[in-house]
């Protein structure tokens, strides 16, 4: 595949290439294990809740100044080693013209379900992914402002991680038209209308891929694909009917390299995917592991890539000695992998005491 070298001004060509997070993603064990938390920006922080008063979630995501400030809040407060871009997996759908809103306490809700061949055809024909590129301007601007903020904060050493929703997770929302527990409507479409299913996933991959590419071109130093509902599928179904689209999403940024020819680190995080690891090869640099599979076991199943994770979020409410032992256990098991970035096994729960997160960062850094 021909490569595209990122411009000299890109953080990977100066500040972030030797950062702990990028080094660990690329398979080395820096002296200190780097740490960040999924959903570190957001509802667990009082300064976030104060900023968001009176602004709808999706409006906030399209306000570059607000996005940059929210993304930087946890870096300032906790001293984490990476920022994760504040947005949502449905933002590129909205920018592509799909009617979607986020209902507080519920999640993404669409005007209607995309659960028939006709509905898939209308969605795909009515929303060409190429049209997204110009609409992504507020996202690019949010990334640029965040990178500027990171440079002011600590010389830009810490990378910004870009992200997108994986095709299956997006499709699970689209087919049901709203959040569902078992994703049965999407799982049914796979077998009832396999051709239309493939068309829908291909479209989702094109949308998420463009969202990722815009973030990297604007200054993100790595990308993570959130495959939150992957675990609801049998491994064989995932491999046949979903993995090609997940791979295609990464393909949208695979050609982008730093000036030393190293590609932008790619991270795949699939919840409930322990059984899937031995069968899955998405050609990524790092695999995010949820809280269910011990990291040393996961590293064996995954093979070459580094790992990220995987403190059970349920431990955040435990007394410190219990929590500290659990953090140490994750650190010890993580040494079995080529590289390890400490994280939770899923997002920060809304009611987490932020001081607990800061304490974990300090402990990981001093371990
Ligand atoms: O922190 C917050 O909850 C406030 C902001 C917010 C986000 N998404 C940020 C986000 C809100 C209100 C949403 C809406 C939303 N979208 C929900 C929550 C509904 C609710 O009110 O309880 C959900 C479940 C979605 C869909 C979604 N978004 C999924 C499945 C994922 C993948 C990660 C996961 O949790 O499995 C996202 C990504 C997401 N939403 C991020 C952020 C900041 C990703 C990046 C990160 O790790 O910070």
């Amino acid at each position: 595949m021909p490569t595209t070298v990122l411009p000299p001004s890109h953080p990977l060509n100066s500040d972030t290439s030797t950062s702990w997070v990028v080094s660990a993603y690329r398979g080395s064990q820096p002296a200190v294990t780097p740490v960040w938390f999924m959903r570190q920006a957001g509802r667990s922080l009082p300064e976030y809740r104060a900023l968001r008063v009176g602004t709808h979630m999706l409006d906030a995501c399209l306000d570059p100044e607000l996005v940059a400030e929210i993304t930087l809040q946890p870096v300032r407060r906790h001293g984490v080693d990476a920022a994760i871009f504040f947005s949502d997996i449905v933002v590129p759908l909205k920018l592509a013209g799909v009617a979607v809103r986020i209902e507080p306490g519920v999640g993404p809700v669409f005007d209607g379900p995309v659960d028939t061949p006709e509905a898939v055809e209308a969605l795909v024909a009515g929303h060409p992914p190429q049209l997204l590129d110009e609409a992504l301007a507020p996202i690019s601007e949010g990334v640029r402002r965040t990178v500027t903020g990171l440079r002011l904060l600590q010389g830009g050493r810490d990378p910004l991680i870009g992200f997108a929703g994986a095709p299956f997770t997006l499709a699970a929302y689209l087919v049901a038209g709203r959040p569902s527990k078992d994703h049965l409507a999407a799982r049914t479409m796979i077998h009832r209308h396999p051709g239309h299913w493939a068309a829908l996933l291909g479209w989702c991959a094109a949308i998420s891929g463009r969202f990722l590419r815009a973030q990297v071109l604007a200054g993100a130093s790595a990308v993570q694909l959130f495959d939150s509902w992957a675990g609801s599928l049998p491994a064989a179904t995932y491999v046949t009917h979903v993995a090609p689209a997940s791979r295609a999403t990464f393909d949208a940024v695979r050609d982008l390299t730093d000036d030393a020819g190293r590609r932008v680190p790619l991270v795949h995080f699939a919840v409930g995917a322990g059984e899937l690891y031995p069968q899955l090869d998405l050609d990524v640099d790092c695999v995010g592991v949820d809280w269910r599979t011990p990291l040393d076991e996961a590293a064996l199943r995954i093979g070459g890539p580094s790992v990220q994770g995987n403190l059970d979020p349920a431990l955040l409410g435990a007394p410190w000695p219990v929590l500290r032992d659990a953090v140490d256990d994750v650190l010890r098991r993580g040494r079995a992998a080529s590289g390890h970035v400490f994280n939770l096994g899923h997002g920060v729960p809304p009611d987490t005491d932020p001081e607990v997160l800061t304490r974990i960062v300090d402990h990981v850094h001093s371990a």
Side-chain angles (χ1 to χ4, degrees):
M1 182 197 287
T3 56
T4 312
V5 182
L6 292 163
S9 58
H10 192 281
L12 269 180
N13 285 329
S14 48
D15 311 322
T16 62
S17 60
T18 55
S19 68
W20 294 334
V21 168
V22 169
S23 302
Y25 282 161
R26 286 179 168 159
S28 63
Q29 300 255 16
V32 174
T33 303
V35 47
W36 67 276
F37 305 107
M38 293 182 276
R39 304 290 285 264
Q40 66 191 11
R43 58 226 162 133
S44 67
L45 297 185
E47 58 269 36
Y48 165 80
R49 295 195 296 267
L51 264 188
R52 269 289 313 281
V53 172
T55 310
H56 284 294
M57 172 60 188
L58 291 177
D59 294 335
C61 291
L62 298 179
D63 179 335
E65 199 182 331
L66 201 53
V67 163
E69 173 56 23
I70 294 172
T71 303
L72 293 170
Q73 282 178 342
V75 182
R76 260 187 232 123
R77 179 193 263 264
H78 303 306
V80 282
D81 301 306
I84 175 93
F85 189 60
F86 183 83
S87 192
D88 191 77
I89 60 170
V90 300
V91 165
L93 297 177
K94 181 182 166 73
L95 293 176
V98 178
V100 55
R101 58 192 188 278
I102 288 182
E103 287 187 4
V106 176
V109 177
F110 295 88
D111 274 355
V114 184
D115 59 353
T116 61
E118 296 72 30
V120 170
E121 283 165 20
L123 176 79
V124 171
H127 307 280
Q130 311 79 271
L131 294 187
L132 195 55
D133 293 343
E134 284 187 14
L136 283 167
I139 301 303
S140 307
E141 182 58 21
V143 168
R144 278 192 291 270
R145 284 179 189 235
T146 306
V147 168
T148 303
L150 285 168
R151 286 192 163 128
L152 290 172
L153 210 57
Q154 68 272 92
R157 185 203 62 198
D158 289 350
L160 173 67
I161 300 170
F163 83 96
F168 179 70
T169 295
L170 285 184
Y173 284 112
L174 283 164
V175 177
R178 55 188 303 110
S180 79
K181 283 209 167 54
D182 52 12
H183 318 297
L184 187 61
R187 294 194 288 121
T188 300
M189 189 190 274
I190 295 175
H191 306 291
R192 190 167 178 185
H193 303 295
H196 285 88
W197 171 258
L200 175 61
L201 276 216
W203 183 84
C204 289
I207 295 289
S208 274
R210 284 181 142 79
F211 186 47
L212 288 181
R213 194 173 177 89
Q215 293 171 67
V216 174
L217 290 177
S221 294
V223 294
Q224 175 162 325
L225 203 60
F226 281 82
D227 214 345
S228 307
W229 312 141
S232 68
L233 292 171
T237 306
Y238 188 96
V239 168
T240 307
H241 294 283
V242 172
S246 301
R247 217 178 215 279
T249 313
F250 284 119
D251 288 346
V253 289
R254 232 181 257 288
D255 63 308
L256 300 174
T257 74
D258 62 19
D259 54 18
R262 292 168 304 193
R263 74 179 180 192
V264 173
L266 312 176
V267 184
H268 183 239
F269 171 60
V271 180
E275 302 302 315
L276 198 57
Y277 297 143
Q279 297 178 52
L280 192 62
D281 179 16
L282 297 178
D283 186 15
V284 295
D285 301 278
C286 178
V287 174
V289 178
D290 79 7
W291 68 95
R292 296 177 181 93
T293 314
L295 278 187
D296 44 354
E297 172 62 33
L300 272 180
R301 293 188 204 169
I302 288 162
S306 59
V307 297
Q308 176 173 275
N310 77 345
L311 181 77
D312 184 348
L315 263 303
L316 296 173
W320 174 246
V322 175
L323 171 55
R324 186 196 52 213
D325 287 354
V327 171
D328 287 340
D329 188 55
V330 169
L331 288 170
R332 193 171 48 75
R333 293 178 191 275
R335 283 186 208 109
S338 53
H340 175 215
V341 174
F342 189 95
N343 206 311
L344 304 181
H346 202 165
V348 174
D351 58 355
T352 303
D353 173 359
E355 288 181 18
V356 171
L357 297 178
T358 311
R359 198 165 182 186
I360 293 175
V361 173
D362 292 343
H363 185 70
V364 170
H365 283 164
S366 65

